[in-house]
Amino acid sequence: MVKKQKKQSKNKTGKQRNKKERILISFNKNLYNLKSIKSAIKEYNNLADFSFKKTKKYIQVELSNIDKSVEKIIKDEFCNYVFFLMRS
Amino acid sequence: MVDLRNNTIRFVFDLQNYPKEALYGAAYVFLDKAYLFLDNKSSRKIEVSLKGKNKLNEKQLKNLKGEFLNELLNYTVRINLSKNNRKIREYIISQALFSAFGDDQVNKEDEVKYEDDPLGIAIPWEDKYGEKTEKTIKKQNRKTA
């Protein structure tokens, strides 16, 4: 009997990642600063692939290829971490 | 607005009543308690989303909102106080720094040895006013009598 295997990519540390899941976070430019967003992306880089673009009002951060173990909380934790960096 | 499915409460407040620094201060305090997200609804109105880290019911979410607003008020008062007391605070600090800096110099200038005797305390009476004559002795005797 042949076992079916789901197609999943692995990151550098060998952890499973979810390719389909994508999360878009829009940070308002008046309330969040780009520097702390960039620093947060650096710190979270091993948990997902990040890309960001600037619009007139927002800095949009897109998360893809997210580590399965953190996919439920990564958005909220990331937003909190950006806040933390803004204050420090 | 309470969103039980997402374990979130959203509310809008006006930045005219609270400074932005107070908002950041309160948000920073809440980083341990909840997940926070801010958005501008208009130039002065800000929408705050508070999401519980654990599953919360409606009452608990409303309490979370109340605590956040209290913290916001707390920070607003602190900021206003610090603005009002700024001048006096700067004055006290500058005085403290000045006295700490000039202490050695002031001491050296003011330092007077007892041997110098600037008030002339060590000078004997006779040297200062001359020896007692018979007249002065008689005057003193009359006064005492």
Side-chain angles (χ1 to χ4, degrees), chain A residues 29-59:
Chain A
K29 279 183 178 175
N30 293 332
L31 299 165
Y32 294 87
N33 65 46
L34 185 62
K35 194 183 164 190
S36 38
I37 291 171
K38 280 183 177 174
S39 307
I41 288 174
K42 264 189 185 174
E43 294 287 329
Y44 275 68
N45 211 15
N46 60 338
L47 297 172
D49 293 336
F50 288 83
S51 62
F52 75 92
K53 64 176 180 182
K54 289 187 225 174
T55 63
K56 196 181 173 186
K57 243 181 119 180
Y58 293 97
I59 300 163

PDB file of all heavy atoms in Angstrom, chain A residues 29-59:
ATOM      1  N   LYS A  29       0.467  54.204   7.869  1.00  0.00           N
ATOM      2  CA  LYS A  29       1.722  54.976   7.926  1.00  0.00           C
ATOM      3  C   LYS A  29       1.740  56.013   9.039  1.00  0.00           C
ATOM      4  O   LYS A  29       2.806  56.367   9.542  1.00  0.00           O
ATOM      5  CB  LYS A  29       1.944  55.692   6.585  1.00  0.00           C
ATOM      6  CG  LYS A  29       2.527  54.806   5.517  1.00  0.00           C
ATOM      7  CD  LYS A  29       2.763  55.645   4.276  1.00  0.00           C
ATOM      8  CE  LYS A  29       3.387  54.831   3.175  1.00  0.00           C
ATOM      9  NZ  LYS A  29       3.511  55.606   1.937  1.00  0.00           N
ATOM     10  N   ASN A  30       0.554  56.513   9.410  1.00  0.00           N
ATOM     11  CA  ASN A  30       0.507  57.515  10.485  1.00  0.00           C
ATOM     12  C   ASN A  30       0.779  56.910  11.854  1.00  0.00           C
ATOM     13  O   ASN A  30       1.137  57.619  12.797  1.00  0.00           O
ATOM     14  CB  ASN A  30      -0.880  58.185  10.531  1.00  0.00           C
ATOM     15  CG  ASN A  30      -1.129  59.025   9.315  1.00  0.00           C
ATOM     16  OD1 ASN A  30      -0.198  59.538   8.719  1.00  0.00           O
ATOM     17  ND2 ASN A  30      -2.396  59.138   8.930  1.00  0.00           N
ATOM     18  N   LEU A  31       0.554  55.608  11.969  1.00  0.00           N
ATOM     19  CA  LEU A  31       0.645  54.984  13.294  1.00  0.00           C
ATOM     20  C   LEU A  31       1.844  54.060  13.459  1.00  0.00           C
ATOM     21  O   LEU A  31       2.304  53.822  14.574  1.00  0.00           O
ATOM     22  CB  LEU A  31      -0.646  54.203  13.569  1.00  0.00           C
ATOM     23  CG  LEU A  31      -1.915  55.037  13.593  1.00  0.00           C
ATOM     24  CD1 LEU A  31      -3.140  54.161  13.511  1.00  0.00           C
ATOM     25  CD2 LEU A  31      -1.957  55.876  14.852  1.00  0.00           C
ATOM     26  N   TYR A  32       2.319  53.503  12.360  1.00  0.00           N
ATOM     27  CA  TYR A  32       3.462  52.580  12.436  1.00  0.00           C
ATOM     28  C   TYR A  32       4.609  53.152  11.613  1.00  0.00           C
ATOM     29  O   TYR A  32       4.380  53.829  10.613  1.00  0.00           O
ATOM     30  CB  TYR A  32       3.079  51.218  11.862  1.00  0.00           C
ATOM     31  CG  TYR A  32       2.027  50.479  12.647  1.00  0.00           C
ATOM     32  CD1 TYR A  32       0.680  50.678  12.407  1.00  0.00           C
ATOM     33  CD2 TYR A  32       2.389  49.560  13.633  1.00  0.00           C
ATOM     34  CE1 TYR A  32      -0.298  49.996  13.120  1.00  0.00           C
ATOM     35  CE2 TYR A  32       1.430  48.872  14.356  1.00  0.00           C
ATOM     36  CZ  TYR A  32       0.090  49.093  14.088  1.00  0.00           C
ATOM     37  OH  TYR A  32      -0.866  48.424  14.805  1.00  0.00           O
ATOM     38  N   ASN A  33       5.835  52.883  12.043  1.00  0.00           N
ATOM     39  CA  ASN A  33       6.939  53.366  11.218  1.00  0.00           C
ATOM     40  C   ASN A  33       7.661  52.229  10.495  1.00  0.00           C
ATOM     41  O   ASN A  33       7.708  51.087  10.974  1.00  0.00           O
ATOM     42  CB  ASN A  33       7.907  54.263  12.008  1.00  0.00           C
ATOM     43  CG  ASN A  33       8.622  53.545  13.100  1.00  0.00           C
ATOM     44  OD1 ASN A  33       9.125  52.445  12.902  1.00  0.00           O
ATOM     45  ND2 ASN A  33       8.673  54.149  14.273  1.00  0.00           N
ATOM     46  N   LEU A  34       8.189  52.568   9.361  1.00  0.00           N
ATOM     47  CA  LEU A  34       8.788  51.586   8.465  1.00  0.00           C
ATOM     48  C   LEU A  34       9.997  50.892   9.090  1.00  0.00           C
ATOM     49  O   LEU A  34      10.206  49.690   8.913  1.00  0.00           O
ATOM     50  CB  LEU A  34       9.193  52.269   7.158  1.00  0.00           C
ATOM     51  CG  LEU A  34       9.724  51.372   6.043  1.00  0.00           C
ATOM     52  CD1 LEU A  34       8.678  50.373   5.606  1.00  0.00           C
ATOM     53  CD2 LEU A  34      10.179  52.202   4.849  1.00  0.00           C
ATOM     54  N   LYS A  35      10.753  51.654   9.857  1.00  0.00           N
ATOM     55  CA  LYS A  35      11.976  51.115  10.452  1.00  0.00           C
ATOM     56  C   LYS A  35      11.667  49.917  11.356  1.00  0.00           C
ATOM     57  O   LYS A  35      12.325  48.876  11.276  1.00  0.00           O
ATOM     58  CB  LYS A  35      12.666  52.227  11.262  1.00  0.00           C
ATOM     59  CG  LYS A  35      14.080  51.898  11.628  1.00  0.00           C
ATOM     60  CD  LYS A  35      14.655  53.006  12.489  1.00  0.00           C
ATOM     61  CE  LYS A  35      15.909  52.543  13.187  1.00  0.00           C
ATOM     62  NZ  LYS A  35      16.347  53.507  14.202  1.00  0.00           N
ATOM     63  N   SER A  36      10.652  50.075  12.219  1.00  0.00           N
ATOM     64  CA  SER A  36      10.329  48.972  13.127  1.00  0.00           C
ATOM     65  C   SER A  36       9.706  47.800  12.370  1.00  0.00           C
ATOM     66  O   SER A  36       9.911  46.639  12.754  1.00  0.00           O
ATOM     67  CB  SER A  36       9.434  49.431  14.272  1.00  0.00           C
ATOM     68  OG  SER A  36       8.509  50.358  13.862  1.00  0.00           O
ATOM     69  N   ILE A  37       8.979  48.079  11.296  1.00  0.00           N
ATOM     70  CA  ILE A  37       8.411  46.985  10.492  1.00  0.00           C
ATOM     71  C   ILE A  37       9.545  46.180   9.855  1.00  0.00           C
ATOM     72  O   ILE A  37       9.546  44.938   9.889  1.00  0.00           O
ATOM     73  CB  ILE A  37       7.447  47.533   9.411  1.00  0.00           C
ATOM     74  CG1 ILE A  37       6.192  48.105  10.076  1.00  0.00           C
ATOM     75  CG2 ILE A  37       7.043  46.433   8.427  1.00  0.00           C
ATOM     76  CD1 ILE A  37       5.272  48.855   9.141  1.00  0.00           C
ATOM     77  N   LYS A  38      10.532  46.880   9.333  1.00  0.00           N
ATOM     78  CA  LYS A  38      11.670  46.196   8.715  1.00  0.00           C
ATOM     79  C   LYS A  38      12.450  45.360   9.731  1.00  0.00           C
ATOM     80  O   LYS A  38      12.861  44.236   9.432  1.00  0.00           O
ATOM     81  CB  LYS A  38      12.606  47.220   8.063  1.00  0.00           C
ATOM     82  CG  LYS A  38      12.139  47.692   6.708  1.00  0.00           C
ATOM     83  CD  LYS A  38      13.158  48.650   6.119  1.00  0.00           C
ATOM     84  CE  LYS A  38      12.760  49.086   4.718  1.00  0.00           C
ATOM     85  NZ  LYS A  38      13.654  50.125   4.188  1.00  0.00           N
ATOM     86  N   SER A  39      12.634  45.933  10.928  1.00  0.00           N
ATOM     87  CA  SER A  39      13.346  45.185  11.976  1.00  0.00           C
ATOM     88  C   SER A  39      12.575  43.936  12.377  1.00  0.00           C
ATOM     89  O   SER A  39      13.170  42.876  12.595  1.00  0.00           O
ATOM     90  CB  SER A  39      13.541  46.058  13.210  1.00  0.00           C
ATOM     91  OG  SER A  39      14.148  47.249  12.874  1.00  0.00           O
ATOM     92  N   ALA A  40      11.244  44.085  12.471  1.00  0.00           N
ATOM     93  CA  ALA A  40      10.409  42.935  12.843  1.00  0.00           C
ATOM     94  C   ALA A  40      10.489  41.859  11.765  1.00  0.00           C
ATOM     95  O   ALA A  40      10.548  40.655  12.076  1.00  0.00           O
ATOM     96  CB  ALA A  40       8.970  43.387  13.046  1.00  0.00           C
ATOM     97  N   ILE A  41      10.498  42.271  10.507  1.00  0.00           N
ATOM     98  CA  ILE A  41      10.602  41.304   9.403  1.00  0.00           C
ATOM     99  C   ILE A  41      11.915  40.529   9.513  1.00  0.00           C
ATOM    100  O   ILE A  41      11.943  39.307   9.337  1.00  0.00           O
ATOM    101  CB  ILE A  41      10.490  42.029   8.037  1.00  0.00           C
ATOM    102  CG1 ILE A  41       9.045  42.484   7.805  1.00  0.00           C
ATOM    103  CG2 ILE A  41      10.938  41.116   6.893  1.00  0.00           C
ATOM    104  CD1 ILE A  41       8.844  43.335   6.563  1.00  0.00           C
ATOM    105  N   LYS A  42      12.981  41.229   9.835  1.00  0.00           N
ATOM    106  CA  LYS A  42      14.290  40.569   9.996  1.00  0.00           C
ATOM    107  C   LYS A  42      14.225  39.475  11.051  1.00  0.00           C
ATOM    108  O   LYS A  42      14.774  38.392  10.881  1.00  0.00           O
ATOM    109  CB  LYS A  42      15.340  41.605  10.413  1.00  0.00           C
ATOM    110  CG  LYS A  42      16.144  42.154   9.261  1.00  0.00           C
ATOM    111  CD  LYS A  42      17.279  42.986   9.796  1.00  0.00           C
ATOM    112  CE  LYS A  42      18.020  43.657   8.667  1.00  0.00           C
ATOM    113  NZ  LYS A  42      19.041  44.594   9.185  1.00  0.00           N
ATOM    114  N   GLU A  43      13.550  39.814  12.177  1.00  0.00           N
ATOM    115  CA  GLU A  43      13.467  38.864  13.289  1.00  0.00           C
ATOM    116  C   GLU A  43      12.576  37.667  12.956  1.00  0.00           C
ATOM    117  O   GLU A  43      12.835  36.558  13.390  1.00  0.00           O
ATOM    118  CB  GLU A  43      12.906  39.563  14.538  1.00  0.00           C
ATOM    119  CG  GLU A  43      13.800  40.627  15.112  1.00  0.00           C
ATOM    120  CD  GLU A  43      15.021  40.063  15.813  1.00  0.00           C
ATOM    121  OE1 GLU A  43      14.929  38.967  16.370  1.00  0.00           O
ATOM    122  OE2 GLU A  43      16.083  40.727  15.773  1.00  0.00           O
ATOM    123  N   TYR A  44      11.510  37.907  12.190  1.00  0.00           N
ATOM    124  CA  TYR A  44      10.538  36.853  11.890  1.00  0.00           C
ATOM    125  C   TYR A  44      10.850  36.122  10.583  1.00  0.00           C
ATOM    126  O   TYR A  44      10.065  35.277  10.159  1.00  0.00           O
ATOM    127  CB  TYR A  44       9.122  37.457  11.821  1.00  0.00           C
ATOM    128  CG  TYR A  44       8.450  37.574  13.167  1.00  0.00           C
ATOM    129  CD1 TYR A  44       8.931  38.463  14.115  1.00  0.00           C
ATOM    130  CD2 TYR A  44       7.344  36.796  13.486  1.00  0.00           C
ATOM    131  CE1 TYR A  44       8.328  38.576  15.350  1.00  0.00           C
ATOM    132  CE2 TYR A  44       6.736  36.900  14.722  1.00  0.00           C
ATOM    133  CZ  TYR A  44       7.232  37.796  15.654  1.00  0.00           C
ATOM    134  OH  TYR A  44       6.630  37.891  16.878  1.00  0.00           O
ATOM    135  N   ASN A  45      11.946  36.448   9.989  1.00  0.00           N
ATOM    136  CA  ASN A  45      12.270  35.933   8.659  1.00  0.00           C
ATOM    137  C   ASN A  45      12.351  34.410   8.579  1.00  0.00           C
ATOM    138  O   ASN A  45      12.071  33.817   7.540  1.00  0.00           O
ATOM    139  CB  ASN A  45      13.600  36.551   8.212  1.00  0.00           C
ATOM    140  CG  ASN A  45      13.653  36.710   6.731  1.00  0.00           C
ATOM    141  OD1 ASN A  45      12.621  36.636   6.058  1.00  0.00           O
ATOM    142  ND2 ASN A  45      14.837  36.907   6.201  1.00  0.00           N
ATOM    143  N   ASN A  46      12.708  33.778   9.682  1.00  0.00           N
ATOM    144  CA  ASN A  46      12.832  32.310   9.661  1.00  0.00           C
ATOM    145  C   ASN A  46      11.498  31.597   9.835  1.00  0.00           C
ATOM    146  O   ASN A  46      11.422  30.380   9.740  1.00  0.00           O
ATOM    147  CB  ASN A  46      13.829  31.849  10.718  1.00  0.00           C
ATOM    148  CG  ASN A  46      13.398  32.261  12.100  1.00  0.00           C
ATOM    149  OD1 ASN A  46      12.622  33.205  12.244  1.00  0.00           O
ATOM    150  ND2 ASN A  46      13.868  31.573  13.113  1.00  0.00           N
ATOM    151  N   LEU A  47      10.422  32.353  10.079  1.00  0.00           N
ATOM    152  CA  LEU A  47       9.102  31.741  10.279  1.00  0.00           C
ATOM    153  C   LEU A  47       8.199  31.851   9.050  1.00  0.00           C
ATOM    154  O   LEU A  47       7.208  31.148   8.935  1.00  0.00           O
ATOM    155  CB  LEU A  47       8.395  32.384  11.473  1.00  0.00           C
ATOM    156  CG  LEU A  47       9.084  32.211  12.833  1.00  0.00           C
ATOM    157  CD1 LEU A  47       8.391  33.042  13.891  1.00  0.00           C
ATOM    158  CD2 LEU A  47       9.076  30.747  13.246  1.00  0.00           C
ATOM    159  N   ALA A  48       8.546  32.756   8.143  1.00  0.00           N
ATOM    160  CA  ALA A  48       7.739  32.935   6.928  1.00  0.00           C
ATOM    161  C   ALA A  48       8.530  33.756   5.911  1.00  0.00           C
ATOM    162  O   ALA A  48       9.587  34.303   6.240  1.00  0.00           O
ATOM    163  CB  ALA A  48       6.433  33.645   7.273  1.00  0.00           C
ATOM    164  N   ASP A  49       7.989  33.797   4.700  1.00  0.00           N
ATOM    165  CA  ASP A  49       8.599  34.691   3.703  1.00  0.00           C
ATOM    166  C   ASP A  49       7.838  36.015   3.734  1.00  0.00           C
ATOM    167  O   ASP A  49       6.608  36.030   3.687  1.00  0.00           O
ATOM    168  CB  ASP A  49       8.488  34.072   2.302  1.00  0.00           C
ATOM    169  CG  ASP A  49       9.334  32.811   2.205  1.00  0.00           C
ATOM    170  OD1 ASP A  49      10.296  32.691   2.998  1.00  0.00           O
ATOM    171  OD2 ASP A  49       9.025  31.950   1.362  1.00  0.00           O
ATOM    172  N   PHE A  50       8.567  37.068   3.793  1.00  0.00           N
ATOM    173  CA  PHE A  50       7.934  38.388   3.900  1.00  0.00           C
ATOM    174  C   PHE A  50       8.184  39.227   2.649  1.00  0.00           C
ATOM    175  O   PHE A  50       9.267  39.163   2.057  1.00  0.00           O
ATOM    176  CB  PHE A  50       8.501  39.163   5.098  1.00  0.00           C
ATOM    177  CG  PHE A  50       8.059  38.648   6.430  1.00  0.00           C
ATOM    178  CD1 PHE A  50       8.704  37.576   7.030  1.00  0.00           C
ATOM    179  CD2 PHE A  50       6.993  39.230   7.094  1.00  0.00           C
ATOM    180  CE1 PHE A  50       8.306  37.108   8.261  1.00  0.00           C
ATOM    181  CE2 PHE A  50       6.585  38.765   8.325  1.00  0.00           C
ATOM    182  CZ  PHE A  50       7.239  37.703   8.912  1.00  0.00           C
ATOM    183  N   SER A  51       7.178  39.990   2.285  1.00  0.00           N
ATOM    184  CA  SER A  51       7.399  41.011   1.259  1.00  0.00           C
ATOM    185  C   SER A  51       6.554  42.209   1.654  1.00  0.00           C
ATOM    186  O   SER A  51       5.506  42.059   2.288  1.00  0.00           O
ATOM    187  CB  SER A  51       6.969  40.493  -0.114  1.00  0.00           C
ATOM    188  OG  SER A  51       5.598  40.208  -0.109  1.00  0.00           O
ATOM    189  N   PHE A  52       7.008  43.379   1.351  1.00  0.00           N
ATOM    190  CA  PHE A  52       6.179  44.531   1.697  1.00  0.00           C
ATOM    191  C   PHE A  52       6.204  45.578   0.590  1.00  0.00           C
ATOM    192  O   PHE A  52       7.154  45.672  -0.182  1.00  0.00           O
ATOM    193  CB  PHE A  52       6.594  45.134   3.044  1.00  0.00           C
ATOM    194  CG  PHE A  52       7.857  45.934   3.011  1.00  0.00           C
ATOM    195  CD1 PHE A  52       7.826  47.305   2.784  1.00  0.00           C
ATOM    196  CD2 PHE A  52       9.083  45.329   3.220  1.00  0.00           C
ATOM    197  CE1 PHE A  52       8.984  48.050   2.765  1.00  0.00           C
ATOM    198  CE2 PHE A  52      10.250  46.059   3.205  1.00  0.00           C
ATOM    199  CZ  PHE A  52      10.208  47.409   2.982  1.00  0.00           C
ATOM    200  N   LYS A  53       5.101  46.304   0.532  1.00  0.00           N
ATOM    201  CA  LYS A  53       5.045  47.404  -0.428  1.00  0.00           C
ATOM    202  C   LYS A  53       4.337  48.601   0.210  1.00  0.00           C
ATOM    203  O   LYS A  53       3.499  48.437   1.096  1.00  0.00           O
ATOM    204  CB  LYS A  53       4.358  46.984  -1.726  1.00  0.00           C
ATOM    205  CG  LYS A  53       2.916  46.609  -1.587  1.00  0.00           C
ATOM    206  CD  LYS A  53       2.315  46.308  -2.939  1.00  0.00           C
ATOM    207  CE  LYS A  53       0.846  45.927  -2.806  1.00  0.00           C
ATOM    208  NZ  LYS A  53       0.213  45.577  -4.064  1.00  0.00           N
ATOM    209  N   LYS A  54       4.710  49.762  -0.267  1.00  0.00           N
ATOM    210  CA  LYS A  54       4.107  50.975   0.296  1.00  0.00           C
ATOM    211  C   LYS A  54       2.996  51.476  -0.617  1.00  0.00           C
ATOM    212  O   LYS A  54       3.173  51.533  -1.837  1.00  0.00           O
ATOM    213  CB  LYS A  54       5.161  52.060   0.424  1.00  0.00           C
ATOM    214  CG  LYS A  54       6.170  51.808   1.511  1.00  0.00           C
ATOM    215  CD  LYS A  54       7.045  53.029   1.641  1.00  0.00           C
ATOM    216  CE  LYS A  54       8.491  52.648   1.749  1.00  0.00           C
ATOM    217  NZ  LYS A  54       9.373  53.804   1.740  1.00  0.00           N
ATOM    218  N   THR A  55       1.878  51.807  -0.014  1.00  0.00           N
ATOM    219  CA  THR A  55       0.830  52.500  -0.758  1.00  0.00           C
ATOM    220  C   THR A  55       0.740  53.911  -0.169  1.00  0.00           C
ATOM    221  O   THR A  55       1.537  54.257   0.706  1.00  0.00           O
ATOM    222  CB  THR A  55      -0.524  51.775  -0.645  1.00  0.00           C
ATOM    223  OG1 THR A  55      -0.921  51.788   0.723  1.00  0.00           O
ATOM    224  CG2 THR A  55      -0.443  50.355  -1.154  1.00  0.00           C
ATOM    225  N   LYS A  56      -0.240  54.660  -0.618  1.00  0.00           N
ATOM    226  CA  LYS A  56      -0.335  56.053  -0.165  1.00  0.00           C
ATOM    227  C   LYS A  56      -0.539  56.146   1.351  1.00  0.00           C
ATOM    228  O   LYS A  56       0.080  56.963   2.032  1.00  0.00           O
ATOM    229  CB  LYS A  56      -1.497  56.735  -0.895  1.00  0.00           C
ATOM    230  CG  LYS A  56      -1.457  58.245  -0.792  1.00  0.00           C
ATOM    231  CD  LYS A  56      -2.645  58.840  -1.520  1.00  0.00           C
ATOM    232  CE  LYS A  56      -2.701  60.342  -1.281  1.00  0.00           C
ATOM    233  NZ  LYS A  56      -3.917  60.934  -1.855  1.00  0.00           N
ATOM    234  N   LYS A  57      -1.398  55.266   1.856  1.00  0.00           N
ATOM    235  CA  LYS A  57      -1.754  55.336   3.272  1.00  0.00           C
ATOM    236  C   LYS A  57      -1.126  54.228   4.122  1.00  0.00           C
ATOM    237  O   LYS A  57      -0.966  54.370   5.323  1.00  0.00           O
ATOM    238  CB  LYS A  57      -3.287  55.234   3.391  1.00  0.00           C
ATOM    239  CG  LYS A  57      -3.956  56.457   3.971  1.00  0.00           C
ATOM    240  CD  LYS A  57      -5.435  56.236   4.066  1.00  0.00           C
ATOM    241  CE  LYS A  57      -5.906  56.322   5.491  1.00  0.00           C
ATOM    242  NZ  LYS A  57      -7.365  56.105   5.611  1.00  0.00           N
ATOM    243  N   TYR A  58      -0.808  53.109   3.469  1.00  0.00           N
ATOM    244  CA  TYR A  58      -0.411  51.923   4.235  1.00  0.00           C
ATOM    245  C   TYR A  58       0.946  51.359   3.828  1.00  0.00           C
ATOM    246  O   TYR A  58       1.415  51.579   2.709  1.00  0.00           O
ATOM    247  CB  TYR A  58      -1.456  50.817   4.065  1.00  0.00           C
ATOM    248  CG  TYR A  58      -2.790  51.144   4.686  1.00  0.00           C
ATOM    249  CD1 TYR A  58      -3.827  51.660   3.913  1.00  0.00           C
ATOM    250  CD2 TYR A  58      -3.013  50.944   6.044  1.00  0.00           C
ATOM    251  CE1 TYR A  58      -5.054  51.971   4.470  1.00  0.00           C
ATOM    252  CE2 TYR A  58      -4.238  51.248   6.614  1.00  0.00           C
ATOM    253  CZ  TYR A  58      -5.260  51.759   5.831  1.00  0.00           C
ATOM    254  OH  TYR A  58      -6.460  52.065   6.402  1.00  0.00           O
ATOM    255  N   ILE A  59       1.527  50.619   4.749  1.00  0.00           N
ATOM    256  CA  ILE A  59       2.661  49.755   4.420  1.00  0.00           C
ATOM    257  C   ILE A  59       2.094  48.334   4.479  1.00  0.00           C
ATOM    258  O   ILE A  59       1.699  47.863   5.547  1.00  0.00           O
ATOM    259  CB  ILE A  59       3.803  49.913   5.446  1.00  0.00           C
ATOM    260  CG1 ILE A  59       4.304  51.351   5.465  1.00  0.00           C
ATOM    261  CG2 ILE A  59       4.944  48.953   5.128  1.00  0.00           C
ATOM    262  CD1 ILE A  59       5.126  51.695   6.692  1.00  0.00           C
TER     263      ILE A  59
END
